[in-house]
Amino acid sequence: MEDKGWSFIRDISLFCNDNREWVILRDEETDYSYGKLPLERNLEELLDLGVINLDKPPGPTSHEVVAWIKRMLRLKKAGHGGTLEETV
C-alpha cells in the first residue's frame, strides 16, 4: 500500500503539472495520530487550521478583505499575514 504522504505529494505535483522527480533522502513511517493530511480534513478543520491564499484586488484594504472573509465564512477570528501592495 502506498504511503498517504507520498500519494498527497504525487497528487499535488500532478495538479501543478510538475514533472520533476522526487529524491527520497530517508524513508520513514508517519504517525498519523499526530494529525491529517490537508486533503483528509473536513471544511471545518480547514477553516480552523488552514490558510486562504488570496490575491487581493486593488482598491479594498487588507482589513476590509478580512472582514468580508469573516462575514462570508461566518468566522469569529481571521487575520492577514501582511501584504505586498504594488505602488505605481
Side-chain angles (χ1 to χ4, degrees), residues 62-63 66 78-83:
S62 298
H63 293 286
V66 169
H80 66 87
T83 59

Side-chain angles (χ1 to χ4, degrees), residues 1-60:
M1 182 174 133
E2 185 177 45
D3 181 86
K4 292 180 186 179
W6 283 112
S7 175
F8 175 75
I9 291 170
R10 185 198 66 233
D11 292 346
I12 293 296
S13 295
L14 290 173
F15 177 78
C16 296
N17 199 24
D18 184 357
N19 298 326
R20 291 180 285 182
E21 183 177 338
W22 287 91
V23 176
I24 302 172
L25 300 178
R26 184 174 49 239
D27 195 13
E28 299 286 340
E29 291 293 319
T30 299
D31 185 351
Y32 290 102
S33 67
Y34 289 105
K36 298 179 183 179
L37 295 169
L39 292 177
E40 294 176 347
R41 294 180 180 150
N42 61 38
L43 182 58
E44 185 176 322
E45 290 171 317
L46 288 171
L47 292 174
D48 188 40
L49 304 170
V51 174
I52 298 173
N53 187 10
L54 180 80
D55 185 10
K56 184 184 81 60

